[in-house]
Amino acid sequence: MDEQREVQVKNPCHRPVFIILTAVIAVGIIIVVSISVVQNKRISQKYKYGIVLDAGSSHTSVFIYEWPAEKENNTGMVRQTHTCNVKGKGISSYSANPEGAGMSLQECMEEAKQKIPVRRHLETPVYLGATAGMRLLKMEDEDASEKVLASVGRSLQKYPFSFQGARIILGQEEGAFGWITVNYLSDNLRTATGTLGALDLGGASTQITFVPKQEIESQDNAIDFRLYGNDYHLYTHSFLCFGKDQVLRLSLAEKFHSMIDSTLLRDPCFHTGYNLSKKYVDVFDTPCIKEKSASPKDFFHVGEGVWVECQNSVRKVFNKSHCGYSTCSFDGVFQPSVEGKFGAFSAFFFVMDFLNLTSGTLHEAKLKMKRYCATPWKEIVQRYPSIKEKYLSEYCFSGTYILTLLEDGYKFTSNNWKDIQFIKKIGDSDAGWTLGYMLNLTNMIPAEAPDIPLMAHGGYVSFMVLFTLLIFLLFFLAFLYYRRSTRTAQKDII
Ligand SMILES: Nc1ccn([C@@H]2O[C@H](COP(=O)(O)OP(=O)(O)OP(=O)(O)O)[C@@H](O)[C@H]2O)c(=O)n1
Ligand SMILES: [Ca+2]
């Protein structure tokens, strides 16, 4: 009996060291398995989708966004996977035929059905936001604007997605969501290391949004956000009628008032040799022009190509006569001094990119514009045969308007000109208000910072390798210890 008990006591598996070693190994294996399960969930991740329609004054675009389902609240996770340009003009041009507005969206929405996996259709939200074109139509004919919105709403409801509404967004929203988009895509919101101002130029309105150093004197221009645990106090303004198509009309109307021969409009913002018969209504039929001058049905639009005179004529569009605040941009609108870096997108980019003015100094930009505007129309048409003549004819005017708006309107100078980056996209996604609008409506940007991930991928791999090696070492030590203990026990018995 005594002999048997002695053998049992000496069994090495029952010794404390061995038990501790086995427990450590077991815990180690559990940790390694748990971490690898949690970490590798990422591989089998599912994606979610969202659709935003940007119903602009000149055209409508459909944007499809995608993000990993489990990382909804992490910054930088949403990206644009597809975009479709609706054929034809913007929805506000369908005021006389509202049904046409809804029908115009069909082709792009069919495309969206193909691009988004069928199992995600029902839960995919669809938002339509209309901007300045519809704001102007509402001012002119509220009933027509409601019919157009109802038509696009009916059309979008026919698709298997989750329709969330079609509405005219406010100018402040357009500015603020554009700012959120560029800062989200640049990963500035999580890091809080400074933000990028946003400059958006459309056909019918333009927006400026940034974090100012000065106090915001007008409440209409102030917006507050708390994003990822940081507070932002933004200045924003949307100038209705200051999109480039409306300013062209304003500028032509201004020239009409001082014309001697009302059938001949001489224009320094168009190239020499440009001569086209245009309709008077095409200039004046907009609520942006208050004073309609009595003119004939048609007129000849004749180019003169003189940049300095063009800039003088564009300057007349900015009303600087009154300002009820310490500083104003124009039209009596309060604006603090521009601050920090800016991203300038949509027509700011299209025009400056075409004119090769996205880099260089303000002085160089002016010299290039002078040369470009003085180039005869015949030469311009030959140089750019693939560009539609209507667009081509307007670049001298548009470039001049952009330089004047930025320098005389917003008060950028040759010193901070380099702080303006003309951008189309950041990564895969277009700069514009649509992404910020969707992030806001889906609550995808939390007010407080989300939890930091367990560990970065590099750290995870190193941890797993080291931990596995450690477990092997422990196994080996346990084996050596077991062998030595059994040998000693056998010797003791003998
Ligand atoms: N490749 C392109 C695309 C567009 N445009 C012009 O740029 C202007 C504005 O385009 P966009 O930013 O798309 O304006 P919208 O969103 O339609 O207008 P808004 O924001 O004012 O509603 C329009 O005059 C359009 O003709 C351009 O010159 N070159
Ligand atoms: Ca726009």
Side-chain angles (χ1 to χ4, degrees):
M1 262 305 262
D2 277 347
E3 231 182 357
Q4 215 177 23
R5 229 175 68 211
E6 205 175 317
V7 173
Q8 269 175 6
V9 168
K10 290 203 171 170
N11 184 345
C13 294
H14 293 172
R15 293 205 178 160
V17 180
F18 195 83
I19 293 169
I20 291 168
L21 219 54
T22 315
V24 169
I25 291 171
V27 170
I29 289 172
I30 291 168
I31 291 175
V32 169
V33 170
S34 318
I35 290 183
S36 65
V37 166
V38 173
Q39 192 85 11
N40 290 313
K41 250 183 163 179
R42 188 189 291 201
I43 291 164
S44 60
Q45 223 156 37
K46 304 283 185 290
Y47 284 89
K48 283 190 176 181
Y49 299 84
I51 303 172
V52 186
L53 288 94
D54 173 356
S57 64
S58 66
H59 81 294
T60 302
S61 292
V62 178
F63 295 96
I64 300 180
Y65 297 105
E66 173 191 274
W67 61 94
E70 288 151 25
K71 304 247 174 205
E72 273 193 338
N73 293 342
N74 289 8
T75 184
M77 284 298 154
V78 182
R79 60 182 206 104
Q80 181 184 315
T81 55
H82 185 69
T83 155
C84 176
N85 288 321
V86 169
K87 284 195 190 123
K89 293 185 178 175
I91 59 168
S92 55
S93 68
Y94 291 91
S95 58
N97 162 33
E99 280 313 303
M103 273 157 56
S104 72
L105 310 178
Q106 284 175 3
E107 222 176 293
C108 280
M109 290 308 291
E110 285 300 328
E111 217 173 281
K113 260 168 68 180
Q114 305 301 316
K115 298 284 172 187
I116 296 174
V118 174
R119 67 195 158 81
R120 291 285 179 192
H121 280 181
L122 287 177
E123 65 184 63
T124 298
V126 179
Y127 307 92
L128 181 142
T131 52
M134 285 298 285
R135 278 178 217 136
L136 292 176
L137 179 60
K138 193 177 172 184
M139 281 164 63
E140 230 178 359
D141 184 345
E142 190 159 352
D143 188 49
S145 80
E146 276 165 14
K147 283 187 177 139
V148 168
L149 281 180
S151 158
V152 293
R154 272 196 305 277
S155 173
L156 294 175
Q157 271 165 353
K158 288 185 190 138
Y159 292 88
F161 308 114
S162 165
F163 175 60
Q164 300 290 311
R167 56 179 283 261
I168 301 173
I169 64 166
L170 298 171
Q172 283 105 319
E173 293 177 285
E174 198 177 354
F177 293 134
W179 182 90
I180 289 193
T181 300
V182 293
N183 285 287
Y184 175 88
L185 294 173
S186 317
D187 209 12
N188 291 335
L189 300 178
R190 202 181 31 150
T191 50
T193 48
T195 54
L196 198 60
L199 298 168
D200 181 358
L201 177 62
S205 79
T206 188
Q207 287 72 238
I208 174 166
T209 312
F210 61 99
V211 175
K213 278 231 167 90
Q214 281 160 257
E215 182 206 340
I216 300 175
E217 294 170 25
S218 121
Q219 274 321 296
D220 290 350
N221 298 119
I223 291 197
D224 291 301
F225 285 117
R226 184 169 174 81
L227 312 167
Y228 298 110
N230 301 306
D231 288 312
Y232 298 97
H233 188 50
L234 297 187
Y235 166 83
T236 187
H237 190 78
S238 174
F239 289 91
L240 187 60
C241 298
F242 282 85
K244 78 178 192 62
D245 301 335
Q246 290 298 328
V247 170
L248 176 59
R249 288 168 170 224
L250 285 173
S251 165
L252 291 176
E254 172 70 38
K255 284 163 191 146
F256 262 109
H257 296 315
S258 54
M259 265 159 57
I260 306 159
D261 177 356
S262 58
T263 59
L264 191 68
L265 193 151
R266 295 186 181 279
D267 196 335
C269 300
F270 281 67
H271 302 271
T272 49
Y274 178 86
N275 187 348
L276 210 66
S277 173
K278 293 186 179 175
K279 285 187 173 31
Y280 173 81
V281 287
D282 289 344
V283 175
F284 285 90
D285 187 18
T286 162
C288 293
I289 300 174
K290 303 282 179 309
E291 282 175 51
K292 320 271 174 189
S293 68
S295 295
K297 255 178 84 180
D298 303 298
F299 67 95
F300 282 106
H301 192 193
V302 177
E304 289 183 325
V306 188
W307 183 73
V308 179
E309 280 181 33
C310 172
Q311 191 172 38
N312 286 336
S313 75
V314 169
R315 280 194 180 122
K316 290 187 186 149
V317 171
F318 299 102
N319 183 353
K320 302 265 186 95
S321 63
H322 64 290
C323 176
Y325 306 96
S326 62
T327 53
C328 285
S329 44
F330 53 94
D331 268 14
V333 173
F334 166 73
Q335 190 203 292
S337 314
V338 285
E339 188 58 50
K341 294 204 180 302
F342 282 78
F345 45 88
S346 42
F348 277 118
F349 177 82
F350 305 143
V351 173
M352 298 300 266
D353 181 56
F354 172 84
L355 294 167
N356 240 326
L357 300 179
T358 53
S359 58
T361 64
L362 176 58
H363 182 67
E364 284 163 355
K366 287 178 184 173
L367 289 180
K368 277 193 190 173
M369 281 309 300
K370 214 170 185 169
R371 236 178 300 138
Y372 179 77
C373 290
T375 312
W377 177 234
K378 230 172 94 182
E379 219 178 298
I380 296 285
V381 175
Q382 276 169 3
R383 211 187 286 173
Y384 307 100
S386 60
I387 298 182
K388 253 169 76 177
E389 287 198 7
K390 166 158 169 29
Y391 290 145
L392 203 51
S393 67
E394 293 178 3
Y395 282 118
C396 165
F397 167 81
S398 305
T400 309
Y401 171 52
I402 288 175
L403 295 192
T404 315
L405 173 66
L406 294 174
E407 190 181 19
D408 294 15
Y410 298 155
K411 314 277 171 359
F412 281 94
T413 62
S414 32
N415 290 331
N416 59 14
W417 185 255
K418 60 180 185 320
D419 292 336
I420 308 172
Q421 298 158 16
F422 294 92
I423 50 172
K424 178 169 165 56
K425 284 175 179 259
I426 300 178
D428 299 323
S429 311
D430 280 77
W433 59 266
T434 50
L435 175 55
Y437 188 64
M438 186 191 74
L439 292 173
N440 181 56
L441 290 175
T442 50
N443 288 320
M444 254 193 286
I445 302 190
E448 302 306 328
D451 292 337
I452 300 156
L454 186 60
M455 59 178 84
H457 188 66
Y460 162 71
V461 172
S462 321
F463 174 83
M464 295 301 275
V465 169
L466 282 176
F467 217 83
T468 312
L469 284 176
L470 195 69
I471 288 173
F472 272 119
L473 190 69
L474 287 174
F475 257 126
F476 187 63
L477 286 177
F479 171 73
L480 287 182
Y481 182 76
Y482 177 80
R483 217 171 58 167
R484 213 188 64 179
S485 305
T486 42
R487 274 192 194 149
T488 321
Q490 274 166 1
K491 267 187 207 156
D492 285 352
I493 293 166
I494 294 161

